[in-house]
Amino acid sequence: MTELTGLTIAEARAKLKAREITSAELTDAYLAAIDAANPTFNAYVAVTHDKARDMAKASDAKLSRGEAGALEGIPLGIKDLFATEGVHTQACSHVLDGFKPRYESTVTSNLWADGAVMLGKLNMDEFAMGSSNETSYYGPVVNPWRSHRTETRVMPSTHMGEGGFVGAGGGTRQVKALGNKRLVPGGSSGGSAASVAAFLCAGATATDTGGSIRQPAAFTGTVGIKPTYGRVSRWGVVAFASSLDQAGPIARDVRDAAIMLKSMASVDAKDTTSVDVPVPDYEAAIGRPVKGMKVGIPREYRVGGMPEEIETLWQKGIAWLKDAGATIVDISLPHTKYALPAYYIVAPAEASSNLARYDGVRYGLRVPGKDIIDMYEKTRAAGFGREVKRRIMIGTYVLSAGYYDAYYLQAQKVRTLIKRDFEKVFADGIDVILTPATPSAAFGIADEDMANDPVKMYLNDIFTVTVNMAGLPGIAVPAGLDANGLPLGLQLIGKPFEEETLFQTGHVIEQAAGRFRPEKWW
């Protein structure tokens, strides 16, 4: 980390406007950091050196004329799920080999209009399907955090609970020795989170279908917000599950996340799910008092087998908000226990439909066959990774004749009940809900238990999927370290289109907890 790459977006913005530094200098510092560290982290799958320098030069010209945009001259990393005109956009999948779109996503268009600089495209789980960034065709991303201690972490086992809920706890729990083992950064936005935490960009775009912004943010000591469904345009973002996907930022602190979301959010005629509501100045919410605010604590989030340090962190968060003048209220979200199994019916069902377009005919990979059906089959067999194939098969099954009513339709009914739980709580006067962000800190790359049991991997989303199922905004804020010195996060859930409340409350937690940076070992 250099003096320049250590600046937050807010700090860099101030120095750029004061002409204390130039965007060219800032961009070159980040490019040098990427060139030196990316072989270690594998966070970038494409680095756009020339484009970044051209954009920085244009920003410096605007700054010299006093025409600065909201992100003028700020170097960002872009998740490989966002279409970037003429630049590698492959959702980190072999099936999209060589694809460079002729168009720009609405989100990146908004960022460029505000003066941001693109450093390159960031690694991710293939088609955003994963919780560890290990399903990428380009290999796993390495978390810049690592344990230098010899302590072990107790990993919760899994069991099938009431109503078919797959939860943590029960039985014998496994003990994992971490040592100096390489750790996952979370997923699917692992490249985004790792690059922000390792100072390889000032901020990054990300997407969240079931926790893919908040979980990697928690694993890397960064801030990640998943906005309300419809707040940010999905046009030009490669689709996973269309009714769940939402784009948002990952940044170093709450203020930077607020600055980025203001630029990313907009109504968009090209996206029929985009909602025409005003985009407020989110940064103005930073520092507002939370006195008198009602904070809900859902009893259903105390899952069996949850590590004691997660419960302790949660209690600290409750105490911080209480000390700041908020009123703490115990609440119930009774259908939470059905959220994870319902999510893993809805999301694969939508994925199986969305991914049907990748057939080798129009773009990307094509494996020749004896006829067109043979070509389809060979292309998809070679182009999709194991996890993507698993979810396509699950999705196709639950949508098939004889199973649609039994699985997909029932999951959609559960989704409605989950949404109503939140509506009732908010109608009763709750302003924001506080929960843990993840059931543990980061785990090791190629962890045998996770690799051999997909259900254990899916459990990483246990605290986050309800937010996507209900279309609500949620933010993960770093709040402490575990026994191995690894970051842990707390999650705040807000009312629809009230992201300001999340920034307001998240900043209180951030101020109480302090900032977290990994010790440089690379």
Side-chain angles (χ1 to χ4, degrees), residues 397-418:
Y397 178 83
V398 301
L399 290 176
S400 62
Y403 297 101
Y404 177 88
D405 289 348
Y407 292 102
Y408 184 72
L409 191 59
Q410 291 300 315
Q412 291 288 24
K413 290 179 179 178
V414 168
R415 183 178 185 174
T416 299
L417 294 174
I418 291 168

Side-chain angles (χ1 to χ4, degrees), residues 128-445:
M129 299 181 193
S131 299
S132 63
N133 216 140
E134 293 176 283
T135 71
S136 169
Y137 178 66
Y138 299 97
V141 175
V142 176
N143 193 330
W145 286 82
R146 66 193 306 189
S147 174
H148 294 282
R149 306 180 187 182
T150 58
E151 288 95 333
T152 55
R153 177 176 326 116
V154 177
M155 300 291 289
S157 62
T158 59
H159 77 289
M160 194 68 70
E162 180 187 352
F165 172 62
V166 181
T172 303
R173 297 189 291 174
Q174 295 84 39
V175 177
K176 292 292 182 183
L178 291 178
N180 290 323
K181 186 174 183 178
R182 296 188 310 160
L183 304 176
V184 303
S188 65
S189 305
S192 300
S195 63
V196 172
F199 304 96
L200 304 186
C201 62
T205 65
T207 62
D208 192 310
T209 305
S212 289
I213 289 175
R214 292 157 289 153
Q215 186 248 22
F219 275 11
T220 57
T222 55
V223 175
I225 182 167
K226 176 246 173 232
T228 309
Y229 184 79
R231 170 64 88 183
V232 178
S233 173
R234 294 186 299 108
W235 194 85
V237 181
V238 179
F240 164 13
S242 299
S243 74
L244 300 166
D245 298 342
Q246 188 61 193
I250 292 179
R252 288 187 205 146
D253 62 21
V254 173
R255 184 179 297 276
D256 281 4
I259 293 169
M260 281 193 68
L261 183 59
K262 168 66 174 172
S263 183
M264 294 172 68
S266 66
V267 65
D268 185 6
K270 297 189 292 292
D271 177 6
T272 57
T273 63
S274 175
V275 179
D276 188 6
V277 293
V279 179
D281 180 5
Y282 295 121
E283 194 178 358
I286 306 297
R288 289 178 186 167
V290 297
K291 186 175 181 179
M293 186 179 291
K294 289 186 177 180
V295 179
I297 309 298
R299 62 180 68 101
E300 289 80 9
Y301 279 62
R302 286 187 169 86
V303 297
M306 186 168 71
E308 185 178 342
E309 58 194 359
I310 300 294
E311 175 66 34
T312 300
L313 185 76
W314 196 4
Q315 291 302 320
K316 282 185 179 180
I318 292 170
W320 291 333
L321 293 176
K322 189 174 182 180
D323 289 345
T327 300
I328 307 302
V329 182
D330 288 330
I331 62 170
S332 177
L333 300 168
H335 294 94
T336 293
K337 62 184 178 181
Y338 303 116
L340 201 65
Y343 171 84
Y344 277 102
I345 292 172
V346 174
E350 295 185 8
S352 70
S353 177
N354 279 324
L355 271 60
R357 71 192 70 179
Y358 304 110
D359 52 18
V361 174
R362 290 155 291 184
Y363 43 72
L365 179 72
R366 177 184 294 182
V367 179
K370 60 185 178 182
D371 53 37
I372 193 167
I373 299 299
D374 191 40
M375 185 270 285
Y376 285 167
E377 292 174 349
K378 288 181 176 177
T379 297
R380 290 170 67 82
F384 291 134
R386 182 179 179 183
E387 181 61 29
V388 173
K389 290 176 183 175
R390 178 185 291 120
R391 299 199 192 193
I392 289 174
M393 292 297 289
I394 292 171
T396 302
Y397 178 83
V398 301
L399 290 176
S400 62
Y403 297 101
Y404 177 88
D405 289 348
Y407 292 102
Y408 184 72
L409 191 59
Q410 291 300 315
Q412 291 288 24
K413 290 179 179 178
V414 168
R415 183 178 185 174
T416 299
L417 294 174
I418 291 168
K419 185 172 183 290
R420 287 176 182 171
D421 285 349
F422 282 106
E423 289 172 346
K424 182 180 185 301
V425 163
F426 289 132
D428 288 341
I430 296 298
D431 297 295
V432 68
I433 297 169
L434 177 69
T435 77
T438 59
S440 73
F443 49 88
I445 291 176

Side-chain angles (χ1 to χ4, degrees), residues 41 144-148 197 199 485 516-522:
F41 295 117
W145 286 82
R146 66 193 306 189
S147 174
H148 294 282
F199 304 96
F516 300 91
R517 290 183 173 182
E519 180 183 340
K520 187 171 182 181
W521 52 267
W522 58 93

